């Protein structure tokens, strides 16, 4: 119960890695605010958190709106009195060859995956600074550390998350705030269905074959589960990681090692 009495916000927690993270933080003792676009998914996650004996609240949030992000922080403070953990999880994936990337594609991916990570952090930081304590964990990706023929904006957005993590970690270490990110690999969620379909189509292979090819690249021999990521986020959020900040931690089954 390393997060007993603490309050965590998880963006995009209506399914996938976000939901698994909300439940892991609840198991560690935290009350959870589900900041999500999808109402039904958010309410289901909140119900599951409550089944674990923790308080949960749904704050309808579009992370691309800095106003929504301010409201998210204000409502959390009003209802729970503090903000100890922020997990920037909401994200989207789109595939296209570089010459086919439109401005709309670029903006959609960068706004949700990168810009929102910064403005959500900015929204909670004043509270964390006043508390002299806080932990921010964001979802980057192995895509943030390697190149790609088929999803340049996605990779650029995840590299931006790693960079935002390092700058915020430096700027707020003296305030008692740690900022880290995780870099998952091939995680079986609704997003993976989109990755396999869109990237597979560009590479000329059916989605099942695309997934088989990716699986063959994983040294640990199985696809990643949302819980594999959530466990590491729980660790980074907790005092067990009190000497870690500014890090981008791979959780890929060994696909990348740098
Ligand atoms: N699945 C993978 O293989 C993988 C690998 C590396 C990193 N990631 C990253 O992990 C995070 C979660 O991925 P996932 O696979 O669980 O995705 P997912 O698509 O299954 O879930 C994403 C969630 O974010 C929410 N969301 C989307 N746009 C939003 C917005 N504008 N405002 C608020 N909520 C919004 C969705 O409603 C959904 O509940 C993403 O940042 C993703 O880029 C995923």
């Amino acid at each position: 119960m390393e997060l007993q009495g603490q309050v965590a916000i998880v963006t995009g927690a209506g399914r996938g890695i976000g939901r698994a993270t909300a439940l892991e933080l609840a198991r560690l003792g935290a009350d959870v605010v589900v900041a999500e676009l999808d109402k039904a998914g958010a309410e289901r996650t909140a119900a599951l958190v409550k089944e674990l004996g923790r308080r949960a609240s749904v704050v309808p949030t579009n992370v691309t709106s800095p106003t929504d992000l301010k409201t998210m922080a204000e409502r959390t403070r009003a209802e729970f009195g503090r903000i100890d953990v922020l997990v920037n999880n909401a994200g989207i994936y789109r595939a296209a060859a570089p010459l086919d990337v439109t401005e709309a594609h670029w903006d959609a991916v960068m706004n949700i995956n990168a810009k929102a990570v910064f403005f959500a952090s900015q929204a909670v930081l004043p509270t964390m600074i006043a508390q002299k304590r806080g932990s921010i964990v964001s979802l980057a990706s192995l895509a943030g550390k390697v190149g790609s023929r088929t999803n340049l904006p996605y990779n650029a957005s995840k590299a931006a998350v790693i960079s935002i993590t390092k700058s915020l970690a430096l700027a707020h270490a003296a305030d008692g705030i740690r900022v880290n990110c995780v870099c998952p690999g091939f995680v079986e969620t609704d997003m993976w269905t989109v990755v396999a379909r869109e990237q597979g189509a560009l590479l000329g292979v059916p989605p099942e074959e695309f997934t088989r090819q990716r699986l063959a690249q994983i040294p640990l021999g199985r696809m990643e589960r949302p819980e594999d990521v959530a466990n590491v986020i729980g660790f980074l959020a907790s005092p067990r990681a009190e000497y870690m900040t500014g890090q981008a931690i791979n959780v890929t089954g060994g696909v990348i090692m740098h």
Side-chain angles (χ1 to χ4, degrees):
M1 302 299 274
E2 286 154 328
L3 298 180
Q4 184 78 47
Q6 297 198 23
V7 176
I9 300 174
V10 185
T11 69
R15 67 182 191 215
I17 296 169
R19 174 176 288 166
T21 299
L23 297 182
E24 177 59 16
L25 298 178
R27 267 182 222 107
L28 292 172
D31 296 326
V32 179
V33 170
V34 180
E36 169 58 272
L37 208 50
D38 167 35
K39 193 163 178 280
E43 279 168 4
R44 178 76 190 127
T45 301
L48 291 169
V49 167
K50 286 177 187 162
E51 279 176 21
L52 291 168
R54 302 290 144 222
R55 292 186 296 168
S57 192
V58 173
V59 178
T61 307
N62 183 342
V63 296
T64 64
S65 157
T67 309
D68 273 19
L69 294 170
K70 276 194 192 126
T71 306
M72 170 189 88
E74 276 159 19
R75 281 192 49 186
T76 304
R77 240 189 1 253
E79 192 174 343
F80 295 99
R82 50 188 305 114
I83 307 171
D84 301 285
V85 176
L86 168 68
V87 180
N88 285 307
N89 166 80
I92 58 165
Y93 174 85
R94 299 271 185 281
L99 290 182
D100 296 326
V101 171
T102 61
E103 188 178 2
H105 174 148
W106 176 271
D107 287 346
V109 170
M110 292 302 273
N111 283 347
I112 298 181
N113 292 6
K115 181 178 158 191
V117 167
F118 172 68
F119 282 102
S121 304
Q122 195 188 53
V124 302
L125 275 164
T127 304
M128 291 181 170
I129 291 166
Q131 293 168 179
K132 296 206 169 305
R133 184 171 85 178
S135 174
I136 297 175
V137 185
S138 302
L139 271 288
S141 169
L142 74 73
K145 293 186 174 180
V146 301
S148 165
R149 277 186 285 260
T150 49
N151 32 256
L152 182 157
Y154 183 81
N155 287 44
S157 74
K158 294 303 185 181
V161 172
I162 295 172
S163 177
I164 292 165
T165 296
K166 291 175 180 174
S167 293
L168 286 178
L170 271 179
H172 293 288
D175 296 316
I177 296 159
R178 298 182 300 103
V179 189
N180 293 288
C181 62
V182 288
C183 300
F186 310 140
V187 193
E188 283 193 311
T189 62
D190 290 355
M191 181 181 282
W192 182 261
T193 309
V194 179
V195 172
R197 190 181 58 233
E198 292 195 4
Q199 243 193 93
L202 284 174
L203 299 170
V205 289
E208 307 75 38
E209 176 55 22
F210 175 84
T211 299
R212 260 195 302 278
Q213 289 176 5
R214 288 295 175 275
L215 175 58
Q217 296 173 354
I218 305 173
L220 287 182
R222 66 164 172 82
M223 292 294 283
E224 188 161 354
R225 302 178 189 120
E227 292 73 20
D228 293 317
V229 190
N231 287 337
V232 177
I233 295 173
F235 166 72
L236 288 171
S238 81
R240 271 179 301 165
E242 71 179 1
Y243 204 58
M244 293 177 72
T245 198
Q247 303 304 304
I249 305 298
N250 298 330
V251 192
T252 67
V255 175
I256 58 169
M257 299 189 178
H258 60 277

